Amino acid sequence: MSAALDLQTLQDAHYRQMVMTVSDYAIFFIDLSGVVLSWNAGARLLKGYDANEVIGQHISKFYPAELMQQRWPEHELSVARSIGRIEDEGWRIRKDGTRFWANIVITRLDDADGVPIGFSKITRDLTERRRQEELLRASEERFRLLVEGVNDYAIFMLDPCGYVVSWSRGAQQSKGYAATEIIGKHFSVFYPADVVARGWPEEELRNAVRDGHFEDEGWRVRKDGTRFWANVVITTLRDAAGVHRGFAKVTRDLTESRRAMKLEDEGRKITNFLAMLGHELRNPLAPISNAVTLLEREADPSKVVRFSREIIGRQLRQLTRLVDDLLDVGRITSGRIHLESKPVRVQDLVRDAIEVVKPLCDQKNHAVDVVDDASDPWIAGDAVRLVQVLSNLLHNATKFTPLGGHIRVQTLVRGDRVDILVQDDGPGIAAADLPTIFDLFVQGAQDSARSLGGLGLGLSLVQQLVALHGGTVSAFSTGRPGEGSEFLVQLPTTPAPTTSNAASPSKPDIETVLVVDDNQDAANTLAMILEGMGYVTSVVYNGTDALEAMKTQPLAAVLLDLGLPDLSGLDVAIAVKAALAFPPPLVAITGYGQENDRAASRDAGFLAHLTKPVDVERLHGVLQQILKGRRERRPA
């Protein structure tokens, strides 16, 4: 038995005392079969057993069931006996059944002749360290999943010299490189050649090191050579000691956002241009329209005057329609169009629309047939805009239908909707054109001389106005000459009103109306029209004179142009309110017709906002309302 290990053979008492009193480690001896021979203070604290409970017991009692099924204790002893030592980590069991994560080292002990006599076993509790490692690993995994799950951003890391050391899925999607293709490459590969030539990638890194981070926008290059507009944020990474370890780089593709911003900017410029264009075109249209109105009131015009007047009137109406369409497109696309919603009779809309295009129909000898639904439907909407929809469709039919052709307008009630069909027997619409017929600036096929003209606005405007009324418009055609086209407008119906709000026209009181316009032709002709309607007029051509006239003479109303050269119409309105306790009623007469222009005139105190060329009947109605209000306010 001299070959067996026995504690009595240990001569170094101090060494023995050290082992037995160590409390941070379980240190004990086992024989060749795995039976415990000694038990120190650390073993008792770690595993929960007193020495008398465990000495003489096999070490397998410290192992969980799953390791026992694998005969892991026997495996450890076999390896240690074979090679002299084994180190392992894994779950072990305390006396109370709880688990702890252990680091164990089993070392073979030999006698003087080199014969194995047993093992020493040192066990250390690494539960807390493992918990921290698991937390760190879980945190890193969450971070990895976060980075890998982001597809809209390229997130990757660079070393201190700018070489790629990590690559996310978003980076691959954004730039086109697989991780194996780009890791180890310098990040300047993402920059256009001219940007690289001036040293900008390196400058970005220097800025990031200096300031901690750097943000930039500019063109970047994908693997396939295509460019994209990128927002780039580079952040300097330092360790706890402040040593520079590299950079985090986040790149976002803003190509579509930049394109949208440019389109919005272009849209604003177009809208502003259309507003200015409308003003500049309406200014000369106003005196022409007024002159035609005066010529129409001639009692006995000559044949030449009558002929010329009719030509000017037709062309004026066409030009006015084009200007209105152009401006309406601008209003709709910018979301600044204002629509009334009142009950309107469909038959009245059809009649008014036909009246608008009647001169052109007569000129081309077109027969226009109207078939009304017997139920006499009504719809809720803006009568002016709905007439504009139908007149545009009719004008389109008239323009493309040859001389002597036929146009048919039919209304049909289907449940809670009314169908309005506009049909012609012209050349029709080619099948290839039907999908885009309502797009802005798109026109149907024409001859090489473009004899039919047009801006390609009408049908786009029709679609947008119908949509704003909660309806739809569709186009149908076989494309065969002579079979023509059919446009179908569908709108929701509304109950007919129980009473009519129509007011009978009345003659104006003899009142003085001040006309203010720097375009003298426009001012003078408008004054002549008003005088023909029974008004007394006074005319001035600038804001200063207008302000003086309002201070010095009683006025029933002031028709005030907004675009005056000295004081604007808005400035005049503000000044007269400040100067007079009871300023005269103001009506804006202007070429500016955007919703923000109308809002500005309302805020300045104008009672109405009329665009040039002024609709004389509408102006008459506005003045009648003003005069009616003045009469009602007069003391009895």
Side-chain angles (χ1 to χ4, degrees), residues 64-193:
E66 63 270 17
L67 293 181
M68 291 297 296
Q69 292 176 358
Q70 300 173 29
R71 298 183 61 81
W72 196 250
E74 290 82 356
H75 168 74
E76 288 182 333
L77 295 178
S78 174
V79 172
R81 184 164 186 170
S82 173
I83 63 175
R85 182 179 182 277
I86 185 173
E87 183 172 0
D88 186 28
E89 286 192 11
W91 292 112
R92 297 296 184 266
I93 304 293
R94 296 187 178 93
K95 177 183 177 181
D96 63 6
T98 59
R99 295 188 174 207
F100 67 99
W101 189 262
N103 170 268
I104 62 103
V105 177
I106 300 176
T107 304
R108 188 186 68 204
L109 301 177
D110 299 336
D111 63 11
D113 298 326
V115 177
I117 57 176
F119 304 94
S120 67
K121 188 174 184 186
I122 301 174
T123 303
R124 184 164 50 133
D125 185 354
L126 297 183
T127 306
E128 182 59 26
R129 191 192 75 178
R130 186 174 188 274
R131 189 180 73 84
Q132 295 297 330
E133 289 175 347
E134 285 297 319
L135 288 175
L136 179 60
R137 187 160 37 247
S139 176
E140 291 175 345
E141 178 64 12
R142 285 194 295 269
F143 179 74
R144 185 189 67 79
L145 290 174
L146 172 65
V147 172
E148 288 300 317
V150 174
N151 295 325
D152 296 332
Y153 294 79
I155 304 174
F156 56 99
M157 294 180 66
L158 308 175
D159 70 9
C161 296
Y163 290 89
V164 179
V165 295
S166 75
W167 198 244
S168 69
R169 184 183 298 117
Q172 180 171 341
Q173 290 188 2
S174 175
K175 298 178 183 288
Y177 294 94
T180 54
E181 296 175 302
I182 198 62
I183 290 178
K185 299 285 184 67
H186 195 268
F187 83 114
S188 59
V189 71
F190 308 133
Y191 292 70

Side-chain angles (χ1 to χ4, degrees), residues 5 99 128 185 255 278 368 385 396 431 449 466 479-480 501 546 575:
L5 179 67
R99 295 188 174 207
E128 182 59 26
K185 299 285 184 67
T255 307
V368 180
R385 298 302 184 184
N396 197 65
V466 169
R480 291 189 288 267
N501 295 324

Side-chain angles (χ1 to χ4, degrees), residues 532-596:
M533 298 168 66
Y535 295 95
V536 175
T537 65
S538 177
V539 180
V540 295
Y541 306 115
N542 59 65
T544 303
D545 291 345
L547 190 57
E548 183 63 25
M550 284 186 269
K551 292 178 181 178
T552 58
Q553 58 181 294
L555 298 170
V558 179
L559 308 184
L560 183 57
D561 182 24
L562 297 185
L564 297 171
D566 52 350
L567 294 174
S568 75
L570 298 177
D571 293 335
V572 171
I574 294 170
V576 76
K577 281 199 299 183
L580 301 178
F582 301 101
L586 303 179
V587 177
I589 305 292
T590 177
Y592 294 109
Q594 302 281 28
E595 183 57 34
N596 57 325

Side-chain angles (χ1 to χ4, degrees), residues 294-307 309:
L294 291 172
L295 288 173
E296 288 173 345
R297 297 188 176 187
E298 283 291 302
D300 189 21
S302 68
K303 182 178 179 181
V304 173
V305 170
R306 186 169 56 252
F307 177 75
R309 181 189 66 195

